[in-house]
Amino acid sequence: MKKSIFITIALFSFLSLMGQDNKTEKKTSKTTFAMMPIHNSGAGFNNVFLGSHELNERKKLTFYSVFWVNPSFGNQGKDLFLETGIGLGYSLANNKLYLNPSLGFGHGKLLSGAAETKIGESLIPSLFMVYNNGNFEFEGYTAYYMSLRGEGASQDLLLNWVIPGIKLNKHLSVGGFYEHLGQTRSDSGATKTLYQFLGAYVKTTLNNGVWFRFAAGPNISNDNLNSKEFYKIQAFIPL
């Protein structure tokens, strides 16, 4: 499975040349890459690698990797959780709406409860959505982390967020922020909300496509597994 994942990523990152017309002009296919470092007070730091290959003007092949470095997700810095996935991105409503369903796999021991790394320990279907009409922006995400190779202490998780906002100008936007992470199944039988953040954000966008977003507010979860206040900082950096 590990070899097939790396082969798939290599295929999607290949730049092809296609004939344009009878003059045999060639153009480079539109393949893009970006990095997205994220840190929040509940789950810690992770670095996301994003890629897309344009199939036509409204559809893209997409792929991603998420490198989690929270030591509690592994064994003292080893066996850390890794996500790899592939999806399709659709541009709709005159490019104001973007939908990206993906199917990913988790590797490590976080969901399986195993003593050490398991390749393909979990299945991660997800849906990402962005809407932007020039004045209003909205981002939504949901992902289900389902254990595939449980060893007696496995769990399933649900992660989702909604982020509506108003663009004050082309460089600055503000809005609301909600993010939830909770257990939906556990071998122990008891489930819990890991965190539930509700607050506000401010976002700056630069002319080169880079943006930064900082969110903060109260943790409204009653399970008291995380601090009563939260922060999350995130950047998007095209390569």
Side-chain angles (χ1 to χ4, degrees), residues 58-81:
R58 294 190 177 183
K59 185 165 62 176
K60 300 177 181 179
L61 283 169
T62 63
F63 52 95
Y64 76 93
S65 294
V66 184
F67 306 92
W68 293 90
V69 298
N70 189 326
S72 68
F73 293 173
N75 289 319
Q76 297 181 343
K78 301 183 296 182
D79 303 310
L80 294 176
F81 192 54

mmCIF file of all heavy atoms in Angstrom, residues 58-81:
data_model
loop_
_atom_site.group_PDB
_atom_site.id
_atom_site.type_symbol
_atom_site.label_atom_id
_atom_site.label_comp_id
_atom_site.label_asym_id
_atom_site.label_seq_id
_atom_site.Cartn_x
_atom_site.Cartn_y
_atom_site.Cartn_z
ATOM 1 N N ARG A 58 -12.874 23.311 -14.997
ATOM 2 C CA ARG A 58 -13.745 23.209 -13.829
ATOM 3 C C ARG A 58 -13.446 22.016 -12.930
ATOM 4 O O ARG A 58 -14.088 21.867 -11.891
ATOM 5 C CB ARG A 58 -15.218 23.137 -14.269
ATOM 6 C CG ARG A 58 -15.708 24.416 -14.929
ATOM 7 C CD ARG A 58 -17.198 24.383 -15.114
ATOM 8 N NE ARG A 58 -17.694 25.633 -15.676
ATOM 9 C CZ ARG A 58 -18.976 25.908 -15.898
ATOM 10 N NH1 ARG A 58 -19.894 25.002 -15.586
ATOM 11 N NH2 ARG A 58 -19.332 27.060 -16.405
ATOM 12 N N LYS A 59 -12.488 21.186 -13.285
ATOM 13 C CA LYS A 59 -12.238 19.977 -12.502
ATOM 14 C C LYS A 59 -10.748 19.719 -12.360
ATOM 15 O O LYS A 59 -9.990 19.877 -13.315
ATOM 16 C CB LYS A 59 -12.937 18.775 -13.140
ATOM 17 C CG LYS A 59 -12.839 17.501 -12.322
ATOM 18 C CD LYS A 59 -13.846 16.451 -12.792
ATOM 19 C CE LYS A 59 -13.605 16.041 -14.221
ATOM 20 N NZ LYS A 59 -14.544 14.951 -14.626
ATOM 21 N N LYS A 60 -10.330 19.295 -11.148
ATOM 22 C CA LYS A 60 -8.935 19.016 -10.856
ATOM 23 C C LYS A 60 -8.799 17.688 -10.119
ATOM 24 O O LYS A 60 -9.659 17.313 -9.319
ATOM 25 C CB LYS A 60 -8.328 20.107 -9.968
ATOM 26 C CG LYS A 60 -8.348 21.509 -10.541
ATOM 27 C CD LYS A 60 -7.792 22.499 -9.527
ATOM 28 C CE LYS A 60 -7.818 23.917 -10.061
ATOM 29 N NZ LYS A 60 -7.298 24.884 -9.048
ATOM 30 N N LEU A 61 -7.707 17.004 -10.386
ATOM 31 C CA LEU A 61 -7.263 15.938 -9.508
ATOM 32 C C LEU A 61 -6.505 16.584 -8.353
ATOM 33 O O LEU A 61 -5.664 17.452 -8.572
ATOM 34 C CB LEU A 61 -6.344 14.965 -10.241
ATOM 35 C CG LEU A 61 -6.999 13.952 -11.180
ATOM 36 C CD1 LEU A 61 -5.940 13.267 -12.024
ATOM 37 C CD2 LEU A 61 -7.789 12.923 -10.394
ATOM 38 N N THR A 62 -6.794 16.190 -7.140
ATOM 39 C CA THR A 62 -6.118 16.776 -5.986
ATOM 40 C C THR A 62 -5.485 15.679 -5.147
ATOM 41 O O THR A 62 -5.936 14.523 -5.158
ATOM 42 C CB THR A 62 -7.098 17.588 -5.112
ATOM 43 O OG1 THR A 62 -8.102 16.722 -4.587
ATOM 44 C CG2 THR A 62 -7.754 18.700 -5.920
ATOM 45 N N PHE A 63 -4.443 16.036 -4.415
ATOM 46 C CA PHE A 63 -3.804 15.095 -3.501
ATOM 47 C C PHE A 63 -3.195 15.873 -2.352
ATOM 48 O O PHE A 63 -2.927 17.071 -2.460
ATOM 49 C CB PHE A 63 -2.750 14.243 -4.209
ATOM 50 C CG PHE A 63 -1.735 15.019 -4.994
ATOM 51 C CD1 PHE A 63 -0.521 15.372 -4.442
ATOM 52 C CD2 PHE A 63 -2.001 15.402 -6.307
ATOM 53 C CE1 PHE A 63 0.422 16.088 -5.164
ATOM 54 C CE2 PHE A 63 -1.061 16.113 -7.042
ATOM 55 C CZ PHE A 63 0.150 16.460 -6.468
ATOM 56 N N TYR A 64 -3.020 15.200 -1.224
ATOM 57 C CA TYR A 64 -2.537 15.901 -0.044
ATOM 58 C C TYR A 64 -1.804 14.948 0.883
ATOM 59 O O TYR A 64 -1.990 13.724 0.833
ATOM 60 C CB TYR A 64 -3.708 16.557 0.706
ATOM 61 C CG TYR A 64 -4.552 15.588 1.503
ATOM 62 C CD1 TYR A 64 -4.271 15.355 2.858
ATOM 63 C CD2 TYR A 64 -5.614 14.896 0.926
ATOM 64 C CE1 TYR A 64 -5.027 14.463 3.605
ATOM 65 C CE2 TYR A 64 -6.371 14.013 1.663
ATOM 66 C CZ TYR A 64 -6.078 13.791 3.003
ATOM 67 O OH TYR A 64 -6.825 12.901 3.731
ATOM 68 N N SER A 65 -0.991 15.531 1.759
ATOM 69 C CA SER A 65 -0.390 14.822 2.889
ATOM 70 C C SER A 65 -0.447 15.750 4.090
ATOM 71 O O SER A 65 -0.249 16.956 3.958
ATOM 72 C CB SER A 65 1.063 14.440 2.612
ATOM 73 O OG SER A 65 1.164 13.491 1.579
ATOM 74 N N VAL A 66 -0.728 15.187 5.260
ATOM 75 C CA VAL A 66 -0.724 15.943 6.513
ATOM 76 C C VAL A 66 0.287 15.291 7.448
ATOM 77 O O VAL A 66 0.170 14.105 7.757
ATOM 78 C CB VAL A 66 -2.104 15.976 7.186
ATOM 79 C CG1 VAL A 66 -2.059 16.866 8.431
ATOM 80 C CG2 VAL A 66 -3.173 16.460 6.215
ATOM 81 N N PHE A 67 1.276 16.073 7.868
ATOM 82 C CA PHE A 67 2.334 15.574 8.744
ATOM 83 C C PHE A 67 2.075 16.080 10.161
ATOM 84 O O PHE A 67 2.345 17.237 10.474
ATOM 85 C CB PHE A 67 3.705 16.055 8.247
ATOM 86 C CG PHE A 67 3.980 15.721 6.809
ATOM 87 C CD1 PHE A 67 3.667 16.619 5.801
ATOM 88 C CD2 PHE A 67 4.537 14.499 6.464
ATOM 89 C CE1 PHE A 67 3.908 16.318 4.470
ATOM 90 C CE2 PHE A 67 4.778 14.185 5.130
ATOM 91 C CZ PHE A 67 4.465 15.095 4.136
ATOM 92 N N TRP A 68 1.526 15.207 11.013
ATOM 93 C CA TRP A 68 1.247 15.571 12.396
ATOM 94 C C TRP A 68 2.496 15.348 13.241
ATOM 95 O O TRP A 68 3.140 14.302 13.140
ATOM 96 C CB TRP A 68 0.106 14.723 12.942
ATOM 97 C CG TRP A 68 -1.214 14.999 12.297
ATOM 98 C CD1 TRP A 68 -1.727 14.392 11.195
ATOM 99 C CD2 TRP A 68 -2.183 15.951 12.722
ATOM 100 N NE1 TRP A 68 -2.966 14.910 10.899
ATOM 101 C CE2 TRP A 68 -3.274 15.867 11.822
ATOM 102 C CE3 TRP A 68 -2.252 16.863 13.782
ATOM 103 C CZ2 TRP A 68 -4.409 16.654 11.950
ATOM 104 C CZ3 TRP A 68 -3.379 17.647 13.910
ATOM 105 C CH2 TRP A 68 -4.445 17.550 12.994
ATOM 106 N N VAL A 69 2.836 16.321 14.084
ATOM 107 C CA VAL A 69 4.049 16.195 14.903
ATOM 108 C C VAL A 69 3.746 16.230 16.402
ATOM 109 O O VAL A 69 4.655 16.317 17.219
ATOM 110 C CB VAL A 69 5.087 17.287 14.555
ATOM 111 C CG1 VAL A 69 5.528 17.157 13.107
ATOM 112 C CG2 VAL A 69 4.522 18.687 14.809
ATOM 113 N N ASN A 70 2.472 16.149 16.774
ATOM 114 C CA ASN A 70 2.104 16.080 18.189
ATOM 115 C C ASN A 70 2.649 14.768 18.768
ATOM 116 O O ASN A 70 2.261 13.679 18.321
ATOM 117 C CB ASN A 70 0.582 16.129 18.326
ATOM 118 C CG ASN A 70 0.125 16.270 19.757
ATOM 119 O OD1 ASN A 70 0.745 15.739 20.674
ATOM 120 N ND2 ASN A 70 -0.977 16.965 19.961
ATOM 121 N N PRO A 71 3.550 14.817 19.754
ATOM 122 C CA PRO A 71 4.156 13.583 20.274
ATOM 123 C C PRO A 71 3.156 12.631 20.906
ATOM 124 O O PRO A 71 3.406 11.423 20.967
ATOM 125 C CB PRO A 71 5.177 14.086 21.299
ATOM 126 C CG PRO A 71 4.735 15.466 21.657
ATOM 127 C CD PRO A 71 4.092 16.013 20.418
ATOM 128 N N SER A 72 2.001 13.141 21.359
ATOM 129 C CA SER A 72 1.008 12.253 21.960
ATOM 130 C C SER A 72 0.305 11.379 20.923
ATOM 131 O O SER A 72 -0.395 10.434 21.281
ATOM 132 C CB SER A 72 -0.034 13.073 22.725
ATOM 133 O OG SER A 72 -0.828 13.850 21.844
ATOM 134 N N PHE A 73 0.505 11.690 19.628
ATOM 135 C CA PHE A 73 -0.089 10.879 18.567
ATOM 136 C C PHE A 73 0.764 9.667 18.228
ATOM 137 O O PHE A 73 0.402 8.883 17.353
ATOM 138 C CB PHE A 73 -0.300 11.715 17.298
ATOM 139 C CG PHE A 73 -1.348 12.791 17.449
ATOM 140 C CD1 PHE A 73 -1.551 13.712 16.430
ATOM 141 C CD2 PHE A 73 -2.126 12.895 18.584
ATOM 142 C CE1 PHE A 73 -2.515 14.709 16.553
ATOM 143 C CE2 PHE A 73 -3.084 13.883 18.723
ATOM 144 C CZ PHE A 73 -3.288 14.791 17.696
ATOM 145 N N GLY A 74 1.942 9.528 18.858
ATOM 146 C CA GLY A 74 2.838 8.421 18.558
ATOM 147 C C GLY A 74 3.489 7.872 19.809
ATOM 148 O O GLY A 74 2.890 7.844 20.888
ATOM 149 N N ASN A 75 4.745 7.458 19.659
ATOM 150 C CA ASN A 75 5.527 6.921 20.768
ATOM 151 C C ASN A 75 6.763 7.786 20.976
ATOM 152 O O ASN A 75 7.803 7.559 20.366
ATOM 153 C CB ASN A 75 5.956 5.473 20.475
ATOM 154 C CG ASN A 75 4.802 4.512 20.523
ATOM 155 O OD1 ASN A 75 3.949 4.603 21.392
ATOM 156 N ND2 ASN A 75 4.752 3.569 19.575
ATOM 157 N N GLN A 76 6.634 8.831 21.809
ATOM 158 C CA GLN A 76 7.763 9.705 22.151
ATOM 159 C C GLN A 76 8.464 10.245 20.904
ATOM 160 O O GLN A 76 9.682 10.199 20.778
ATOM 161 C CB GLN A 76 8.749 8.956 23.045
ATOM 162 C CG GLN A 76 8.156 8.550 24.385
ATOM 163 C CD GLN A 76 9.143 7.820 25.271
ATOM 164 O OE1 GLN A 76 10.179 7.332 24.806
ATOM 165 N NE2 GLN A 76 8.841 7.720 26.544
ATOM 166 N N GLY A 77 7.664 10.726 19.960
ATOM 167 C CA GLY A 77 8.215 11.309 18.734
ATOM 168 C C GLY A 77 8.298 10.348 17.571
ATOM 169 O O GLY A 77 8.485 10.772 16.430
ATOM 170 N N LYS A 78 8.153 9.040 17.824
ATOM 171 C CA LYS A 78 8.133 8.043 16.752
ATOM 172 C C LYS A 78 6.690 7.649 16.438
ATOM 173 O O LYS A 78 5.783 7.933 17.193
ATOM 174 C CB LYS A 78 8.935 6.803 17.157
ATOM 175 C CG LYS A 78 10.394 7.072 17.481
ATOM 176 C CD LYS A 78 11.134 5.775 17.793
ATOM 177 C CE LYS A 78 10.587 5.105 19.032
ATOM 178 N NZ LYS A 78 11.338 3.873 19.362
ATOM 179 N N ASP A 79 6.504 6.978 15.303
ATOM 180 C CA ASP A 79 5.181 6.471 14.913
ATOM 181 C C ASP A 79 4.128 7.574 14.843
ATOM 182 O O ASP A 79 2.946 7.356 15.149
ATOM 183 C CB ASP A 79 4.714 5.378 15.881
ATOM 184 C CG ASP A 79 5.700 4.222 15.962
ATOM 185 O OD1 ASP A 79 6.092 3.721 14.906
ATOM 186 O OD2 ASP A 79 6.075 3.846 17.092
ATOM 187 N N LEU A 80 4.541 8.781 14.459
ATOM 188 C CA LEU A 80 3.613 9.913 14.397
ATOM 189 C C LEU A 80 2.577 9.719 13.299
ATOM 190 O O LEU A 80 2.824 9.039 12.296
ATOM 191 C CB LEU A 80 4.382 11.212 14.181
ATOM 192 C CG LEU A 80 5.299 11.630 15.330
ATOM 193 C CD1 LEU A 80 6.081 12.876 14.955
ATOM 194 C CD2 LEU A 80 4.506 11.860 16.610
ATOM 195 N N PHE A 81 1.426 10.334 13.473
ATOM 196 C CA PHE A 81 0.311 10.157 12.553
ATOM 197 C C PHE A 81 0.581 10.866 11.236
ATOM 198 O O PHE A 81 1.014 12.028 11.205
ATOM 199 C CB PHE A 81 -0.961 10.695 13.194
ATOM 200 C CG PHE A 81 -2.218 10.311 12.475
ATOM 201 C CD1 PHE A 81 -2.514 8.988 12.206
ATOM 202 C CD2 PHE A 81 -3.129 11.279 12.065
ATOM 203 C CE1 PHE A 81 -3.677 8.621 11.559
ATOM 204 C CE2 PHE A 81 -4.296 10.933 11.413
ATOM 205 C CZ PHE A 81 -4.576 9.601 11.158
#
